[in-house]
Amino acid sequence: MGYDIVTMGPLLCEIMRKELDKPLDRPADFTGPYPSGDTAIMLNAAARLGARCAMIGVVGDDGFGRCVTDRLKENGVDCSMIRVHPEAATGTAFVCYYSDGSRNFLFHVHHAAPGMLEPEDVKPEKLAGSKWLHVSGFTMSVNQASAEAIYKMVETASPESKVCFDPNIRPEALSEEEIRKLCMPVIRRADIIFPSKSEAAMLTGCATDEEGCRSWAADGKIVVLKNGDQGCRIYSGTEAFDVPGFSVEEVDPTGAGDTFCGAFLTGLTEGMSLEDCGRFANAAGAMSVRKQGPMEGAPSRAELEAFLQEQTNT
């Protein structure tokens, strides 16, 4: 019996400013480390909600590596495919927040352990029978070896395995043409795509996200456009509908979209309708922003169900 969800990508520790409006080029206090990495955040959320999950990645033989892998293990993620590199340091992300809601990140990824991911880390025989293989554009953008590892996972996937793609790639890292070329092999194979604002238009070349999402849906894909605290818009075939979000007090928005993806995929593995998956995922994403640290607010199944029941009763 395979996993419900398998993913790969940079395993990071996040270190953040304690106060607002403290840029990264000036001395000021930090807090952390917090376990992080977009695909790891997604998988941690799914595991906490009951999915059988496995992670592929590389960490250093250091405290930061243990910080992130210990968290995943605590929540039930199979970490046997995470390689410990004897010489490279675990990846880090420094972040500062501003009063206007914007953030600034400084990643140490390309020349750290996350940049050591390679196709040989993918073991197709271990992935056979998995329900979902989750891919992030951020992973593919690290370097060519990381992209080749993703392509190998997708190309050698069992016929019964479905592929999920979350673009999550920063236009400032590559040109739009380079991003499209990089992502196209995964988009062709993807069964579901989770774009954020502007990504559907960028990746399809359409004038708007609406047009881009509908073009993917016309190709037979499920498309879930993430709209932050507004919820999500789901496209399937010729149908499109909105699932409203939930209002909560935000402490730290980092990882909310990844938590959303993990919850949505968990719902799919359990046979929920697309609308129910959207509501389930919107709730998980909302709950995740109530604590500092990208994995800290990920709810347990009991916490999420209690939150949804509370929302139904109000």
Side-chain angles (χ1 to χ4, degrees):
M1 182 172 62
Y3 302 102
D4 290 328
I5 307 169
V6 178
T7 192
M8 72 170 72
L11 293 154
L12 313 175
C13 272
E14 190 165 308
I15 299 139
M16 61 191 71
R17 289 297 199 194
K18 288 184 175 181
E19 301 174 81
L20 296 175
D21 304 315
K22 301 293 184 182
L24 295 176
D25 60 353
R26 296 289 186 272
D29 290 338
F30 286 100
T31 183
Y34 294 99
S36 188
D38 62 341
T39 54
I41 296 166
M42 180 283 302
L43 204 65
N44 178 73
R48 282 184 60 76
L49 294 171
R52 300 188 310 276
C53 302
M55 182 81 202
I56 303 170
V58 186
V59 295
D61 186 11
D62 51 38
F64 284 0
R66 291 186 289 276
C67 175
V68 63
T69 54
D70 284 353
R71 174 62 61 85
L72 294 176
K73 290 175 183 177
E74 286 168 9
N75 288 319
V77 174
D78 183 339
C79 294
S80 62
M81 290 182 281
I82 296 177
R83 178 163 53 92
V84 179
H85 196 290
E87 298 175 353
T90 300
T92 54
F94 291 84
V95 60
C96 61
Y97 299 85
Y98 293 97
S99 300
D100 62 4
S102 63
R103 294 169 289 171
N104 184 29
F105 288 89
L106 191 162
F107 291 101
H108 181 50
V109 171
H110 297 78
H111 302 292
M116 306 301 172
L117 184 70
E118 54 191 31
E120 288 71 22
D121 289 308
V122 179
K123 312 295 184 186
E125 68 278 5
K126 293 186 177 182
L127 308 186
S130 297
K131 294 180 181 178
W132 286 98
L133 303 177
H134 173 83
V135 174
S136 159
F138 180 72
T139 303
M140 290 191 290
S141 70
V142 171
N143 56 31
Q144 185 61 35
S146 294
E148 293 296 337
I150 290 289
Y151 298 152
K152 179 180 177 180
M153 182 174 75
V154 170
E155 292 166 1
T156 61
S158 304
E160 67 268 29
S161 296
K162 295 185 176 182
V163 173
C164 161
F165 179 53
D166 182 356
N168 193 26
I169 190 167
R170 300 175 185 277
E172 61 267 24
L174 298 168
S175 70
E176 290 191 8
E177 182 178 347
E178 288 173 321
I179 291 172
R180 290 192 196 108
K181 182 178 179 181
L182 185 69
C183 296
M184 192 51 62
V186 175
I187 291 174
R188 281 197 295 263
R189 176 64 172 79
D191 297 277
I192 187 168
I193 303 176
F194 286 100
S196 296
K197 184 179 179 180
S198 79
E199 289 179 337
M202 176 182 64
L203 287 168
T204 60
C206 292
T208 65
D209 282 333
E210 179 73 14
E211 291 178 16
C213 290
R214 287 190 179 276
S215 71
W216 279 332
D219 286 338
K221 305 178 190 305
I222 296 169
V223 185
V224 184
L225 180 63
K226 294 179 286 184
N227 289 318
D229 60 2
Q230 299 302 305
C232 61
R233 182 167 174 80
I234 301 175
Y235 303 78
S236 178
T238 58
E239 183 183 16
F241 56 92
D242 295 305
V243 182
F246 299 94
S247 178
V248 297
E249 184 177 347
E250 180 182 292
V251 174
D252 183 358
T254 303
D258 304 312
T259 300
F260 172 95
C261 290
F264 201 103
L265 289 181
T266 300
L268 287 176
T269 67
E270 297 179 5
M272 293 184 190
S273 69
L274 290 177
E275 184 173 2
D276 285 344
C277 284
R279 190 165 186 268
F280 191 71
N282 284 342
M287 296 179 75
S288 75
V289 308
R290 302 188 301 181
K291 292 184 179 180
Q292 189 170 38
M295 290 188 189
E296 308 312 304
S300 67
R301 187 59 175 257
E303 290 168 339
L304 180 53
E305 290 178 349
F307 177 86
L308 284 170
Q309 186 61 47
E310 179 182 320
Q311 298 298 317
T312 299
N313 294 335
T314 56

